[in-house]
């Protein structure tokens, strides 16, 4: 309270007791898996393992190298953006390691009859090196001897060494002699034909810039621990804890790691990774796991796996079956189509539904873009066995396209049967958590109680008006209680402010039933 000592007019700013809550973002996916390359622009993360934000497929390509054999994550990310996703985090799990061999290149010869091409080899293994060749004199050799050339070594696109006045003649200017004597980056080897004309030996090299080719990376086994990662290392599923705004988590490369040499799937590893993913989502409380069913299973097998092997029970996970068939962008073995897990495309549909309808709308009965076919067709009777145990089916409907035909979580608690209910609560809880931070350390009295009540009520009333809550009136849709009853003296003495909130979420019309009967004509 200011002190007034001199006569005059004073203006005071009074802080409003009612704040405005903003709905938390709901359409941010995180992908954990394998990529073609790793980002190299962060010296603190040389392997590119930490979660990185991408907002388009083009940005993903520039950081992680696009499509690659043995990597499902790029295909899933592409499907995510194609289906309406706009923001994603990528968490790379290394599935290869450098070959540990020098990078090599045979510089192209203009005329192979003059001898073998010049061979260039890096002194360090797996070096990222290129060489630039340019002629010092573009004309023919003169009386003083043959024309010479310059060789420049580039590392990371920047010149680090340069050797000029090089030739193939014997002596100090010989390219192998001069470069090998002083270079700390490369060594040169070449072999000329015995009858080659020294004056024309410069024709061996074509001017240009040439990248030395690294040996192919060596595949390494990936176990459940590598997928699980850790928060402290900022790696794997655990590393997503630092990405606080993530609401959907996808692990599409589980099949790559779990497939054995004989082609069978290690279902133990499959369950271990998905269990770690579910635990991560439950611990964070603001995100859901989009799970893929194991490939190659018919409806009976997937029912038995779900009930007798996986046995998941969580409101923070949803399972989809079967796999989807999409265009194969790399055409390995001449295949124009490839089967992939549906989770990435599904996450895109979730994002699209959030954007067009709202998080309270069940992400189902909508087409999946980019899908050519399904691994197998699920009939109505088969789905009647899968739907009650939380397996969301993807089914073809002729001219209506291929659609998601399920919206259930894996929870046995009927309060959390539907995906949209869990995600709506996640959004509301996050919005209240972040939007009421102003109340911390404020005087815990009636003024604060009423202010918090007005703030939360205003936010929920907006959701009810948008159709997110069930009820003919706001009083039927929600209530907010913050008074002396929820905040007795002992609670205030403990430094606690307790606000009780109840909401009635809308639930999807999963079974639409029309009761039709004949109407008999009666005599007047």
């Amino acid at each position: 309270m200011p002190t007034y000592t001199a006569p005059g007019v004073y203006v005071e700013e009074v802080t409003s007791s009612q704040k405005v809550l903003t709905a938390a973002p709901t359409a941010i996916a995180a992908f954990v898996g394998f990529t073609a390359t790793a980002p190299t622009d962060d010296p603190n993360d040389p392997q590119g393992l930490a979660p990185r934000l991408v907002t388009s497929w083009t940005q993903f390509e520039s950081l992680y190298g696009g499509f690659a054999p043995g990597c499902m994550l790029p295909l899933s990310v592409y499907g995510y953006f194609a289906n309406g996703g706009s923001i994603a985090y990528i968490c790379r799990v290394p599935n290869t390691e450098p070959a540990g061999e020098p990078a090599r290149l045979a510089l192209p010869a203009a005329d192979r009859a003059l001898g073998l091409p010049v061979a260039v080899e890096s002194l360090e293994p797996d070096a990222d090196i290129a060489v630039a060749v340019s002629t010092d004199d573009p004309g023919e050799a003169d009386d003083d001897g043959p024309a010479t050339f310059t060789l420049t070594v580039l590392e990371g696109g920047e010149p680090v060494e340069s050797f000029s006045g090089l030739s193939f003649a014997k002596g100090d200017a010989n390219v192998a002699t001069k470069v090998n004597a002083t270079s700390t980056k490369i060594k040169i080897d070449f072999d000329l034909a015995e009858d080659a004309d020294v004056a024309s030996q410069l024709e061996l090299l074509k001017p240009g810039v040439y990248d030395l080719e690294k040996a192919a990376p060596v595949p390494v086994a990936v176990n459940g621990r590598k997928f699980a990662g850790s928060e402290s290392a900022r790696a794997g599923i655990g590393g997503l804890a630092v990405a606080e705004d993530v609401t959907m988590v996808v692990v599409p490369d589980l099949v790559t790691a779990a497939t054995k040499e004989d082609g069978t799937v290690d279902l133990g590893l499959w369950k271990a990774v998905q269990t770690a993913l579910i635990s991560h989502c439950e611990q964070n409380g603001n995100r859901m796991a989009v799970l893929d069913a194991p490939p190659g299973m018919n409806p009976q097998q997937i029912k038995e796996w779900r009930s007798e092997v996986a046995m998941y029970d969580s409101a923070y996970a949803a399972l989809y079956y079967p796999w989807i068939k999409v265009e194969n962008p790399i055409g390995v073995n001449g295949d124009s189509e490839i089967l992939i897990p549906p989770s990435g495309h599904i996450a895109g549909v979730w994002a699209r539904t959030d954007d067009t309808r709202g998080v309270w709308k069940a992400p189902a009965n909508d087409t999946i873009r980019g899908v050519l076919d399904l691994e197998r067709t699920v009939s109505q009777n088969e789905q009647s066995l899968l739907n009650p145990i939380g397996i969301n089916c993807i089914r073809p409907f002729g001219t209506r396209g291929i659609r998601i035909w399920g919206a259930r979580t894996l929870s046995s608690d009927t309060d959390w049967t539907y995906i949209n209910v869990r995600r709506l609560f996640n959004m509301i809880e996050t919005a209240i958590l972040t939007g009421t931070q102003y109340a911390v350390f404020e005087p815990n009295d009636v003024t604060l109680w009423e202010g918090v009540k007005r703030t939360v009520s205003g936010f929920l009333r907006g959701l009810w008006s948008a159709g997110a809550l069930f009820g003919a009136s706001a009083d039927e849709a929600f209530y907010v209680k913050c008074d002396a009853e929820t905040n007795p003296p002992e609670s205030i003495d403990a430094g606690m402010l307790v606000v009780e909130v109840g909401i009635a979420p809308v639930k999807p019309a999963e079974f639409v039933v029309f009761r039709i009967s004949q109407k008999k004509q009666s005599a007047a």
Side-chain angles (χ1 to χ4, degrees):
M1 187 73 180
T3 301
Y4 304 111
T5 57
V9 177
Y10 297 89
V11 177
E12 296 180 7
E13 290 187 358
V14 179
T15 303
S16 172
S17 61
Q18 180 175 352
K19 306 296 181 180
V20 177
L21 299 187
T22 303
T26 60
I28 301 178
F31 293 82
V32 180
F34 307 150
T35 61
T37 59
T40 57
D41 56 349
D42 186 356
N44 297 320
D45 184 26
Q47 290 186 287
L49 304 182
R52 292 288 296 269
L53 182 67
V54 296
T55 57
S56 68
W57 171 249
T58 302
Q59 187 179 8
F60 175 86
E61 281 187 303
S62 66
L63 288 172
Y64 294 96
F67 303 110
C71 297
M72 288 293 180
L73 186 145
L75 292 163
S76 294
V77 172
Y78 184 84
Y80 171 73
F81 286 118
N83 277 277
S86 59
I87 303 175
Y89 284 89
I90 309 300
C91 196
R92 174 180 174 269
V93 175
N95 64 325
T96 59
E97 60 184 18
E101 297 181 3
R104 298 182 175 89
L105 178 67
L107 296 177
D111 185 356
R112 291 297 297 269
L114 295 174
L116 297 175
V118 176
V120 183
E121 183 177 292
S122 68
L123 295 179
E124 295 291 332
D126 305 301
D128 183 16
I129 284 179
V131 293
V133 177
S134 60
T135 56
D136 295 337
D137 182 2
E140 296 293 333
D142 53 26
D143 295 340
D144 296 329
T148 59
F149 62 95
T150 296
L151 190 147
T152 303
V153 180
L154 307 173
E155 191 169 31
E158 299 295 329
V160 292
E161 292 181 344
S162 183
F163 306 91
S164 59
L166 302 175
S167 75
F168 294 111
K170 295 181 179 180
D172 294 340
N174 178 272
V175 58
T177 301
K178 190 169 184 178
V179 172
N180 294 346
T182 59
S183 177
T184 60
K185 301 294 182 182
I186 62 172
K187 66 177 180 179
I188 300 290
D189 187 23
F190 72 94
D191 183 18
L192 294 173
E194 294 182 359
D195 57 349
D197 182 4
V198 173
S200 63
Q201 286 173 4
L202 185 60
E203 296 178 10
L204 273 172
L205 297 182
K206 291 181 180 179
V209 178
Y210 307 98
D211 292 319
L212 272 65
E213 298 176 356
K214 298 180 183 179
V218 179
V220 296
V222 179
N223 55 26
R225 253 330 302 162
K226 287 189 177 180
F227 273 109
S230 71
E231 180 179 350
S232 59
R234 303 291 190 266
I237 296 170
L240 293 173
V242 300
E244 297 179 352
D245 49 351
V246 166
T247 61
M248 304 172 279
V249 188
V250 181
V251 185
D253 271 306
L254 180 52
V255 64
T256 310
T259 302
K260 303 176 185 178
E261 294 183 0
D262 60 1
T264 60
V265 176
D266 184 350
L267 296 180
L269 176 60
W270 197 280
K271 179 178 179 179
V273 174
Q274 289 192 336
T275 300
L277 177 57
I278 293 171
S279 297
H280 166 80
C281 293
E282 290 178 339
Q283 290 169 8
N284 282 270
N286 66 337
R287 57 196 62 176
M288 286 191 67
V290 187
L291 304 182
D292 299 301
M297 291 186 174
N298 60 36
Q300 176 64 27
Q301 292 170 327
I302 195 64
K303 177 181 180 296
E304 293 173 355
W305 175 81
R306 163 76 179 99
S307 303
E308 301 172 13
V309 179
M311 296 184 290
Y312 306 141
D313 187 357
S314 175
Y316 291 87
L319 177 66
Y320 288 87
Y321 169 85
W323 281 33
I324 58 177
K325 186 177 293 185
V326 300
E327 180 185 6
N328 188 352
I330 53 180
V332 177
N333 299 324
D335 296 332
S336 60
E337 299 175 347
I338 183 174
L339 281 171
I340 68 169
S343 52
H345 290 66
I346 297 294
V349 175
W350 284 21
R352 186 169 80 225
T353 303
D354 291 356
D355 184 52
T356 58
R357 298 290 300 276
V359 70
W360 51 87
K361 163 67 173 68
N365 195 9
D366 205 348
T367 56
I368 312 177
R369 299 170 186 165
V371 176
L372 305 178
D373 202 355
L374 299 173
E375 181 183 22
R376 64 181 70 248
T377 300
V378 180
S379 69
Q380 181 81 0
N381 288 336
E382 288 170 334
Q383 188 174 9
S384 68
L385 299 176
L386 303 181
N387 193 65
I389 58 175
I391 299 177
N392 298 313
C393 293
I394 305 169
R395 296 177 56 191
F397 289 92
T399 56
R400 296 182 63 234
I402 295 174
R403 293 176 175 257
I404 302 171
W405 209 243
R408 294 196 172 199
T409 70
L410 294 176
S411 177
S412 61
D413 186 344
T414 55
D415 284 348
W416 308 110
T417 296
Y418 297 108
I419 295 170
N420 58 301
V421 174
R422 179 67 269 173
R423 297 185 71 229
L424 173 65
F425 270 76
N426 289 356
M427 183 272 286
I428 292 175
E429 290 168 6
T430 302
I432 293 176
L433 178 67
T434 57
T436 57
Q437 294 293 319
Y438 73 92
V440 180
F441 295 116
E442 288 293 309
N444 196 353
D445 56 14
V446 175
T447 301
L448 180 62
W449 301 346
E450 292 298 324
V452 171
K453 182 178 179 179
R454 285 194 297 269
T455 297
V456 177
S457 296
F459 173 64
L460 295 178
R461 186 173 291 104
L463 290 179
W464 169 71
S465 299
L469 304 180
F470 180 85
S473 65
D475 290 338
E476 293 179 1
F478 68 88
Y479 73 87
V480 181
K481 185 177 180 61
C482 184
D483 52 23
E485 185 177 344
T486 61
N487 295 278
E490 57 269 22
S491 177
I492 296 175
D493 291 341
M496 297 175 61
L497 169 66
V498 180
V499 184
E500 188 176 303
V501 179
I503 63 175
V506 290
K507 297 181 179 180
E510 189 177 20
F511 309 103
V512 180
V513 179
F514 290 90
R515 293 191 172 96
I516 303 174
S517 63
Q518 293 188 31
K519 183 180 181 189
K520 301 294 185 179
Q521 297 293 330
S522 59

